[in-house]
Amino acid sequence: MTLTATTPFQIPAEPPHAMLCNREWLLDCHCAAPVLELLKGQGWDVISDLYANVHCSSPDRRVYVGFLPETKEAARGELWHIQVKDADGEVAWDQTFGSSVPAQAVAGFLAALIAFPNRSCACV
């Protein structure tokens, strides 16, 4: 099978203005505030422990988000832990984000999950 382009690829002479706007926010915030504000606004339980770790649970208790700066995992670079359980309470999947990932990126990931609470893929 051979793939051919129908139109030649052209690099724009100058990127659109939107691509040039200030994106330093993608590099700077490593606090938990953007994520915690998002989850609190969605009715999640948010609890801090004595060690400055923060544990969040979705209203149905099937999603856990942990901001865990004072754990051995954080020492290895795993600051954020997200865990999703199936209907039987078994872990279906999990995701970690390191300390170099801005909180806004973690909040965006979670906002995408929250935006689609029901199964929307016809293949499942």
Side-chain angles (χ1 to χ4, degrees):
M1 180 161 105
T2 304
L3 298 176
T4 57
T6 57
T7 56
F9 177 74
Q10 295 180 3
I11 297 173
E14 195 172 316
H17 184 288
M19 291 175 59
L20 298 175
C21 60
N22 184 352
R23 304 258 179 173
E24 280 75 24
W25 64 268
L26 289 172
L27 304 172
D28 60 0
C29 180
H30 299 288
C31 71
V35 173
L36 301 181
E37 290 170 10
L38 169 72
L39 299 180
K40 285 179 183 177
Q42 295 294 317
W44 290 43
D45 291 334
V46 177
I47 300 169
S48 298
D49 66 21
L50 297 174
Y51 303 103
N53 299 306
V54 182
H55 309 274
C56 309
S57 296
S58 63
D60 65 0
R61 302 289 186 255
R62 290 185 56 189
V63 183
Y64 165 81
V65 176
F67 175 72
L68 309 172
E70 301 300 326
T71 63
K72 61 183 177 184
E73 290 83 2
R76 293 191 311 256
E78 299 173 4
L79 181 62
W80 293 94
H81 293 253
I82 299 167
Q83 189 176 78
V84 176
K85 295 181 180 180
D86 63 20
D88 296 327
E90 298 295 321
V91 175
W93 61 271
D94 57 12
Q95 176 66 49
T96 62
F97 292 98
S99 59
S100 63
V101 177
Q104 292 93 331
V106 178
F109 177 82
L110 291 166
L113 296 178
I114 291 168
F116 296 98
N118 299 315
R119 182 179 292 170
S120 62
C121 183
C123 68
V124 179

